[in-house]
Amino acid sequence: MLYDGCVPRKGTRKTVAKAADIRTVAALAKVSIATVSRTINGSPAVSDRLSKRVWQAIEQLKYFPNTHARSLVSGRSRLFGIIVENITNPFFPELIQSFEEVAVAHGYEILVSSSNSDPAILTTCVRRMLERKVEGVAMLTFGEEEPVLDQLAVHDIPLVLAEFKLADPKTSTILLDYTTGLKAAVDHLAGLGHRKIGFLAGPHTIHSAITRLNDFRTAMEAAKLPIEKAWVIESDHTMRGGVAGFERLQSFEKGPTAVICSNDITAIGVLRAAYMAGLRVPQDLSVVGLDDIDFAEFTLPPLTTIRLSRADLARAAFEALRQQAETAPGGKLQREFLVSTNLVVRGSTAPPAGAHS
Amino acid sequence: MLYDGCVPRKGTRKTVAKAADIRTVAALAKVSIATVSRTINGSPAVSDRLSKRVWQAIEQLKYFPNTHARSLVSGRSRLFGIIVENITNPFFPELIQSFEEVAVAHGYEILVSSSNSDPAILTTCVRRMLERKVEGVAMLTFGEEEPVLDQLAVHDIPLVLAEFKLADPKTSTILLDYTTGLKAAVDHLAGLGHRKIGFLAGPHTIHSAITRLNDFRTAMEAAKLPIEKAWVIESDHTMRGGVAGFERLQSFEKGPTAVICSNDITAIGVLRAAYMAGLRVPQDLSVVGLDDIDFAEFTLPPLTTIRLSRADLARAAFEALRQQAETAPGGKLQREFLVSTNLVVRGSTAPPAGAHS
DNA sequence: GTGAAAGCGCTAACAA
DNA sequence: TTGTTAGCGCTTTCAC
């Protein structure tokens, strides 16, 4: 069964024939290179007769255009950059995946980089993207973008950011509507009978973390639930942070009966810490995440969480960039996009211990 | 605290000055463009005096070379492609991350794509990479590479594959030594007192899955443990597959007391299914994974698993490609690389229920 | 509708 | 050591 051998590679080239170029095609089709170029680019000004000959030659030679030459002369690279905070966070691969899908569908290629929250890395990322002449970059780093804003502005590159508006007309913004999801989560918990709800926030350096926290507060107020300051803890959007946050929460004599986490991996850290501490979720503690990463469905118990669609976010980011890249200077374009959230109830929430309903 | 406003982008360009090109730099530094080119490329044949002037001009103009022009004339794109099976599988982002790191450190850029196990997508991936004139492709799809081998061979592109040797001198192979890790896992389980060990294999279409299964068998034989055919189940390397595999195992009256899974996410599926079924891990069932994804440490209980270093794999893949790209034709290069595995014992393994030791 | 020719920004001979 | 020049493969005027 195991293929362990060494197979000859098929399609062995006898002569190391240089890849066909536009001239080869033109010669074979007996037309000028201009006609080949026009044919490839779908110019209507080519007769069917020649067009057919050209396509035939292209097929026969397995020709395809050299992107570098194309970009050089046309000034358009059809390349977008996408920078994420950390590709290792499961939130981002899904985002990248969707972004790539829609980009490829529109004939764009993407350059991916993670900043790993390091401004130096971020700077070289941007630099590399600039060298490759990207037509736009999506900075989905949620709050680490400042250091390179100048760099990009100087080169007049379209930019799309999440939750951060810039005056520069070359920038677009994606607003995330956490309000709806967070309100649903608080209401869900309140409906279950919880009144003591904690919040494990993300780093205050990250815009989205701040927005999430604010929206949590708003939702609590709307539900007329008290916000206990000590239970609102700044964590760091990592599993370890979730563990630490849980321990902090446990240190209170009468701590919260439910906790909402600023993201799913924090919630997973809480789940783990609770398990290690012998606490049962959801009987002893209800836990809510935010993001709904693929994994959320497979935690123990399955995580109740606020879903933020990566696909929607990716589509919005691409669309923003595409409009920037393809809209004629002075043309009007949409510079603000909204992506919404919604609650997904699974197994990590239940009435608090001793609830009467 | 929340930055909700709209800040003017700094570094506002007054005139939409075209990005500086090599001629601008040459003019400012009062040298020829050749000297600028030499300076940038570190040619030793430039006097310190001119070199200094050139760097100054570069700094002042914030100039950087146009990669497309460079690639066009030099014939070298300094681009590698990396194709993974599915970026959403946590194994791959870590791999990509490491690959990117080492590539960037060596002045290469990378193009990332997932094939999603779809030959059509794979074909267009390769096509796009070819258009961008990548100097090599790392196909880390573990068994889906056949459909595009021709395509790549025709264009004479260096290729590195995992666990699949090809005769073509332009291809290199990374062999994964699962033997060591699997032997360690079986011995660990045997040492705990297990004799009834099942195996949840991956799809038989994937080379690595087959290798893993074979190495499991070898390890079992070496440990003089019986291999129960019914307990060796073909699964599909997904969490759902793990759930299904567990259920199948449970359907036997006297099933195995331990199960080794072909990858971690399968093991996580098993963990989840066991939990839902009211079985305790590791008391009622020991579970071992393979890969050691970041998450493995945070499952409940923490997963005992066979670690396969993504960083090592990525480094090997890059090195293979770099050698192919930079070795003069006819020069000798290493075409086979070996990456090893080792057992990481955590909380999902314990003596079987009723063990005497 | 088609072709000839002028570059896109750069590197690499070749001269000086 | 430095400069001049001929392209890399393509798109895009501009003639015809």
Side-chain angles (χ1 to χ4, degrees):
Chain A
M1 210 171 183
L2 169 61
Y3 209 128
D4 202 8
C6 194
V7 306
R9 194 164 166 185
K10 288 174 289 180
T12 35
R13 64 233 111 66
K14 289 102 204 173
T15 48
V16 187
K18 264 193 60 179
D21 69 0
I22 199 172
R23 258 175 288 271
T24 328
V25 176
L28 183 61
K30 295 195 199 313
V31 296
S32 71
I33 61 168
T35 298
V36 177
S37 176
R38 288 195 191 98
T39 308
I40 289 169
N41 293 302
S43 159
V46 181
S47 69
D48 282 5
R49 198 174 51 89
L50 290 201
S51 162
K52 208 163 291 171
R53 288 221 308 263
V54 170
W55 282 118
Q56 221 157 46
I58 287 175
E59 212 108 307
Q60 193 174 330
L61 293 166
K62 296 199 185 315
Y63 164 82
F64 51 81
N66 179 327
T67 318
H68 298 296
R70 264 183 157 183
S71 304
L72 186 56
V73 56
S74 71
R76 298 214 36 198
S77 64
R78 294 200 78 86
L79 254 182
F80 283 149
I82 175 168
I83 303 179
V84 299
E85 179 210 321
N86 178 2
I87 195 177
T88 270
N89 175 337
F91 182 83
F92 291 112
E94 299 172 36
L95 185 62
I96 293 169
Q97 169 111 305
S98 301
F99 191 83
E100 181 192 332
E101 254 168 45
V102 48
V104 168
H106 285 78
Y108 284 83
E109 199 66 47
I110 67 170
L111 247 30
V112 183
S113 273
S114 353
S115 68
N116 293 322
S117 304
D118 179 338
I121 294 180
L122 186 58
T123 306
T124 69
C125 277
V126 171
R127 159 71 186 244
R128 280 158 37 216
M129 290 185 174
L130 256 22
E131 289 185 5
R132 300 266 166 197
K133 291 272 178 288
V134 293
E135 294 183 39
V137 353
M139 292 255 303
L140 274 359
T141 48
F142 298 96
E144 306 172 339
E145 37 281 290
E146 268 95 346
V148 290
L149 256 25
D150 277 28
Q151 212 181 341
L152 287 158
V154 162
H155 294 283
D156 208 38
I157 303 288
L159 183 62
V160 55
L161 299 171
E163 300 180 275
F164 194 60
K165 287 190 233 171
L166 254 27
D168 191 307
K170 284 272 179 182
T171 62
S172 305
T173 300
I174 300 171
L175 265 9
L176 301 182
D177 165 33
Y178 299 116
T179 317
T180 317
L182 242 6
K183 185 165 174 7
V186 167
D187 290 351
H188 164 65
L189 255 16
L192 252 20
H194 292 274
R195 290 191 51 79
K196 299 158 66 181
I197 303 178
F199 190 81
L200 256 36
H204 70 273
T205 48
I206 296 187
H207 297 132
S208 62
I210 298 169
T211 313
R212 289 170 188 201
L213 174 55
N214 284 340
D215 287 351
F216 164 73
R217 290 204 172 106
T218 310
M220 289 290 278
E221 280 157 19
K224 303 217 186 309
L225 254 26
I227 301 173
E228 180 68 52
K229 259 198 164 172
W231 300 344
V232 175
I233 298 173
E234 178 170 337
S235 183
D236 62 357
H237 279 176
T238 68
M239 284 187 273
R240 279 175 228 283
V243 171
F246 171 83
E247 283 162 2
R248 178 88 169 280
L249 249 23
Q250 283 310 101
S251 70
F252 301 115
E253 263 184 67
K254 298 207 56 122
T257 57
V259 58
I260 299 180
C261 302
S262 188
N263 76 352
D264 280 352
I265 57 177
T266 301
I268 291 168
V270 171
L271 252 30
R272 171 173 160 76
Y275 174 88
M276 300 307 274
L279 239 68
R280 291 163 310 159
V281 172
Q283 297 90 331
D284 301 323
L285 179 72
S286 284
V287 179
V288 177
L290 199 163
D291 280 346
D292 193 22
I293 57 177
D294 275 358
F295 239 85
E297 193 184 341
F298 292 92
T299 57
L300 265 30
L303 190 65
T304 293
T305 189
I306 298 159
R307 175 165 184 75
L308 166 55
S309 164
R310 263 77 66 203
D312 290 351
L313 182 49
R315 270 191 292 269
F318 175 79
E319 183 53 23
L321 254 24
R322 197 189 59 72
Q323 286 199 21
Q324 288 274 8
E326 296 178 3
T327 304
K332 48 180 158 292
L333 44 81
Q334 185 181 351
R335 285 190 50 217
E336 244 179 84
F337 297 78
L338 188 69
V339 173
S340 68
T341 61
N342 63 287
L343 184 69
V344 179
V345 177
R346 287 196 274 253
S348 65
T349 45
H356 307 296
S357 75
Chain B
M1 209 171 183
L2 169 59
Y3 209 126
D4 202 10
C6 195
V7 306
R9 194 162 165 185
K10 289 174 289 180
T12 35
R13 63 234 114 65
K14 289 105 205 172
T15 47
V16 187
K18 262 194 62 179
D21 70 359
I22 198 171
R23 258 174 287 271
T24 327
V25 177
L28 183 60
K30 296 195 198 311
V31 297
S32 71
I33 60 168
T35 299
V36 177
S37 176
R38 287 193 192 100
T39 307
I40 289 168
N41 294 301
S43 158
V46 181
S47 68
D48 282 4
R49 198 173 50 89
L50 290 200
S51 161
K52 208 162 293 172
R53 287 219 312 260
V54 170
W55 282 119
Q56 223 157 46
I58 287 175
E59 212 107 308
Q60 192 174 329
L61 294 166
K62 297 202 185 311
Y63 164 83
F64 51 81
N66 179 326
T67 318
H68 299 296
R70 262 183 159 182
S71 304
L72 187 57
V73 56
S74 70
R76 297 214 40 198
S77 63
R78 295 199 78 86
L79 252 183
F80 283 148
I82 176 168
I83 303 178
V84 298
E85 180 210 319
N86 178 1
I87 195 177
T88 270
N89 174 338
F91 182 84
F92 291 111
E94 300 173 35
L95 184 62
I96 293 169
Q97 168 110 309
S98 301
F99 192 83
E100 181 190 334
E101 254 169 43
V102 47
V104 168
H106 286 77
Y108 284 82
E109 199 66 48
I110 67 170
L111 247 30
V112 184
S113 273
S114 355
S115 67
N116 294 322
S117 305
D118 180 338
I121 295 181
L122 186 58
T123 306
T124 69
C125 277
V126 170
R127 159 72 184 244
R128 280 159 36 217
M129 290 185 174
L130 256 21
E131 290 185 3
R132 299 267 166 196
K133 290 274 177 289
V134 294
E135 294 183 42
V137 174
M139 291 257 302
L140 275 359
T141 49
F142 297 96
E144 306 171 340
E145 36 282 290
E146 268 95 346
V148 290
L149 257 24
D150 278 26
Q151 211 180 342
L152 287 159
V154 161
H155 294 282
D156 208 37
I157 304 288
L159 183 62
V160 55
L161 299 171
E163 302 180 274
F164 194 62
K165 287 189 233 172
L166 255 26
D168 191 306
K170 284 273 179 183
T171 62
S172 305
T173 300
I174 300 171
L175 265 9
L176 301 181
D177 166 32
Y178 299 116
T179 318
T180 317
L182 243 6
K183 188 166 172 2
V186 168
D187 290 351
H188 164 66
L189 254 17
L192 252 19
H194 292 274
R195 288 190 52 77
K196 298 156 67 181
I197 304 178
F199 190 82
L200 255 37
H204 70 275
T205 49
I206 297 186
H207 298 132
S208 62
I210 299 167
T211 314
R212 289 170 188 202
L213 174 55
N214 283 340
D215 288 351
F216 164 73
R217 290 204 172 107
T218 309
M220 289 290 277
E221 279 157 19
K224 304 216 186 312
L225 254 26
I227 301 174
E228 180 69 52
K229 259 198 166 171
W231 301 344
V232 175
I233 297 173
E234 178 170 337
S235 183
D236 62 358
H237 279 175
T238 68
M239 284 186 273
R240 280 175 227 282
V243 171
F246 171 83
E247 282 162 2
R248 178 88 169 280
L249 250 23
Q250 284 308 102
S251 69
F252 302 115
E253 262 185 70
K254 299 208 52 121
T257 58
V259 57
I260 299 179
C261 302
S262 188
N263 76 351
D264 279 352
I265 57 176
T266 301
I268 291 168
V270 171
L271 252 30
R272 171 172 161 76
Y275 174 88
M276 300 306 275
L279 239 69
R280 291 163 311 159
V281 172
Q283 298 89 332
D284 301 324
L285 178 71
S286 284
V287 179
V288 177
L290 199 161
D291 280 345
D292 194 21
I293 56 176
D294 275 357
F295 240 84
E297 194 184 340
F298 292 91
T299 57
L300 265 27
L303 190 65
T304 294
T305 189
I306 297 158
R307 174 165 184 77
L308 166 54
S309 164
R310 263 77 66 203
D312 290 352
L313 181 49
R315 270 192 292 269
F318 175 79
E319 182 55 23
L321 253 25
R322 197 189 58 73
Q323 286 198 21
Q324 288 273 8
E326 297 178 3
T327 305
K332 48 181 158 294
L333 45 81
Q334 185 182 349
R335 285 191 49 219
E336 243 178 83
F337 297 78
L338 188 69
V339 172
S340 67
T341 61
N342 63 287
L343 184 70
V344 179
V345 177
R346 287 196 274 252
S348 65
T349 46
H356 306 297
S357 76

